[in-house]
């Protein structure tokens, strides 16, 4: 009886009716709700575009820095690879690889966010400059807010990584923020293609 009491700490393990563990499932459901949020912003964007019926898009007077945004896209995509590298490293028990991957991911994500802020300061129009200005800043700003949240999650994961909290068996604290980060990266590809290219 005493040995059993020592082996059991805290509440009993919750029953799982899914093959996906509850933390991962929770993040996937949260991402599904975020996709719906972005979907509403894309709906507004395309509505504005159709209603304006402009011969060229973006409308005259609005010039987007396609090249700078393209370089920024490459930076964010690279951060997805470093995030994947850090997760695979800890799955193999490589703590140095985990730490290096997380630090690189943080650095690349921060570079993306600062470049976007710099783009905002030099773009030449504001959210108050018509419907296009509003939807441009609304959509890219929404994504920027998600990048900031992702960087916050990765900062905590990085601190924990340097404190030795993760092992090959226990690495949910890296995997869950990683899922969110990959979502942020994929969503930017859609935003970039829709707003800057099409």
């Amino acid at each position: 009886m005493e040995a059993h009491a020592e082996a059991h700490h805290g509440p009993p393990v919750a029953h799982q009716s899914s093959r996906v563990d509850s933390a991962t499932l929770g993040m996937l459901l949260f991402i599904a709700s975020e996709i719906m949020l972005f979907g509403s912003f894309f709906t507004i964007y395309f509505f504005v575009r159709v209603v304006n019926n402009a011969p060229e898009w973006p409308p005259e007077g609005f010039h987007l820095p396609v090249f700078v945004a393209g370089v920024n896209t490459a930076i964010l995509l690279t951060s997805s690879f470093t995030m994947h590298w850090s997760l695979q490293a800890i799955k193999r028990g490589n703590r140095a690889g985990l730490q290096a991957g997380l630090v690189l991911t943080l650095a690349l994500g921060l570079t993306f966010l600062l470049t976007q802020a710099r783009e905002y300061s030099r773009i030449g129009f504001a959210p108050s400059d018509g419907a296009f200005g509003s939807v441009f800043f609304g959509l890219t700003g929404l994504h920027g807010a998600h990048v900031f949240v992702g960087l916050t999650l990765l900062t905590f994961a990085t601190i924990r990584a340097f404190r030795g909290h993760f092992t090959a068996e226990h690495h949910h604290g890296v995997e869950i923020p990683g899922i969110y980060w990959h979502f942020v990266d994929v969503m930017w590809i859609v935003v970039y293609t829709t707003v800057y290219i099409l």
Side-chain angles (χ1 to χ4, degrees):
M1 182 72 172
E2 207 171 296
H4 176 70
E6 285 178 11
H8 178 73
H9 296 290
V13 178
H15 174 71
Q16 292 187 357
S17 58
S18 171
R19 291 185 183 187
V20 180
D21 66 272
S22 57
T24 305
L25 182 61
M27 179 53 78
L28 293 175
L29 290 173
F30 174 70
I31 286 173
S33 73
E34 294 297 287
I35 290 170
M36 288 185 269
L37 175 63
F38 273 98
S40 66
F41 274 74
F42 280 113
T43 301
I44 295 166
Y45 177 84
F46 284 114
F47 178 79
V48 167
R49 188 167 179 170
V50 168
V51 168
N52 273 311
N53 199 19
E56 59 178 40
W57 193 258
E60 193 176 337
F62 296 96
H63 301 287
L64 301 179
V66 179
F67 177 74
V68 173
V71 171
N72 220 14
T73 301
I75 290 169
L76 199 61
L77 286 179
T78 304
S79 76
S80 245
F81 288 105
T82 56
M83 184 70 232
H84 179 72
W85 170 44
S86 66
L87 179 59
Q88 293 308 309
I90 194 58
K91 283 183 176 179
R92 293 189 301 270
N94 179 0
R95 286 189 180 175
L98 165 70
Q99 293 165 352
L102 285 174
V103 168
L104 281 171
T105 305
L106 264 175
L108 290 165
L110 190 60
T111 302
F112 172 87
L113 205 56
L114 292 174
T115 304
Q116 189 174 31
R118 182 80 169 160
E119 177 188 324
Y120 281 177
S121 71
R122 294 172 161 235
I123 201 158
F125 60 90
S128 57
D129 293 333
F132 178 79
S134 297
V135 295
F136 171 81
F137 281 100
L139 195 49
T140 58
L142 176 69
H143 181 268
H146 280 74
V147 172
F148 179 78
V149 171
L151 287 174
T152 304
L153 294 174
L154 290 175
T155 298
F156 286 113
T158 305
I159 292 168
R160 292 186 64 199
F162 277 93
R163 290 183 176 177
H165 290 186
F166 304 121
T167 64
E169 296 77 27
H170 303 287
H171 50 263
H172 262 63
V174 178
E175 190 168 7
I176 302 301
I179 292 170
Y180 183 83
W181 191 252
H182 292 311
F183 157 71
V184 166
D185 291 359
V186 169
M187 192 52 69
W188 176 251
I189 295 171
V190 179
V191 172
Y192 174 70
T193 304
T194 304
V195 176
Y196 291 85
I197 304 298
L198 297 180

